Amino acid sequence: MTTNLLDPGYDRTSALLLIDVQNDFADPGGALAVAGGDAIIPFLNSQVAAARGSGALVVYTQDWHPAVTPHFARDGGIWPVHCVMETWGAELHPNLLVDGSRVRKGSAGEDGYSGFSTRDPSTGRESPTELDGLLRAAGIERVVVAGLATDYCVKATALDAIRLGYPTRILADGIRPVDLAPGDGDRAVAEMQAAGVEVVGRPAGSP
Ligand code: VGL
Ligand code: ZN
């Protein structure tokens, strides 16, 4: 059973990972707009301020696709065209407080959702992004994850963080699901908890 915590507990050995808070997900006019994606930004900004105030690192991931990639439905995948590198949709949302480095993923046409790794769509082979190295070089021992979307990139990043040995927390008030099927977001939170991720804030399924 996982305790519901109220304080993410930032310090110099922790990092806040803000996942894909980009226009295509967070702006209501984005290509893959997540319902309520823009509503979490003030909360995320308060977390950035709390984290930086306690000496924690903040890292921002960006979904960063080429114009043609098997990630997109028109090229064999499942998603509408989104977060094409160097376009408005791929930019971090303008209201997001940015105080840390960025990790971009997918730029060589790889698939996969985690901030830590990408997947070659033809061979299935996984390769690491620079995120783990960046955290280790900074002496980071645990991570707090929030952003978009709960059921894809947040989930994949949190599960990878656990596999890599980081005690991992997610911020319930700082995530929103795509919910392709109703309940995907709640199931993703349950899956993360089963893997050892702790939830900070409102319990899944509560109003
Ligand atoms: C994501 C769908 C497709 C995400 C990225 O950031 O969660 N979801 N690409
Ligand atoms: Zn994507």
Side-chain angles (χ1 to χ4, degrees), residues 20 25 32 63-65 71-72 79 82-83 105 112-113 153:
D20 301 1
F25 299 119
L32 193 37
D63 212 29
W64 201 253
H65 298 299
H71 187 70
F72 296 156
W79 301 108
H82 64 277
C83 297
K105 56 193 166 69
Y113 300 107
C153 291

Side-chain angles (χ1 to χ4, degrees), residues 98-110:
V98 180
D99 187 3
S101 48
R102 301 160 188 235
V103 169
R104 292 167 167 170
K105 56 193 166 69
S107 55
E110 320 93 300

Side-chain angles (χ1 to χ4, degrees), residues 35-113:
D38 55 348
I40 63 173
I41 293 178
F43 172 78
L44 297 178
N45 289 344
S46 72
Q47 293 294 311
V48 171
R52 297 296 297 129
S54 301
L57 195 72
V58 183
V59 180
Y60 302 79
T61 67
Q62 283 175 289
D63 212 29
W64 201 253
H65 298 299
V68 177
T69 166
H71 187 70
F72 296 156
R74 65 175 189 194
D75 307 314
I78 63 168
W79 301 108
V81 174
H82 64 277
C83 297
V84 173
M85 57 176 79
E86 314 294 355
T87 66
W88 171 84
E91 286 170 20
L92 294 176
H93 193 283
N95 295 347
L96 183 68
L97 181 57
V98 180
D99 187 3
S101 48
R102 301 160 188 235
V103 169
R104 292 167 167 170
K105 56 193 166 69
S107 55
E110 320 93 300
D111 214 339
Y113 300 107

Side-chain angles (χ1 to χ4, degrees), residues 139-188:
I140 300 305
E141 293 169 5
R142 52 200 195 77
V143 298
V144 178
V145 182
L148 303 168
T150 311
D151 34 359
Y152 291 93
C153 291
V154 169
K155 178 177 99 170
T157 303
L159 293 178
D160 263 357
I162 289 281
R163 267 183 230 119
L164 289 163
Y166 296 98
T168 302
R169 294 174 172 174
I170 53 169
L171 302 176
D173 298 301
I175 56 178
R176 288 290 184 277
V178 175
D179 272 348
L180 277 185
D184 278 355
D186 290 343
R187 281 188 291 275

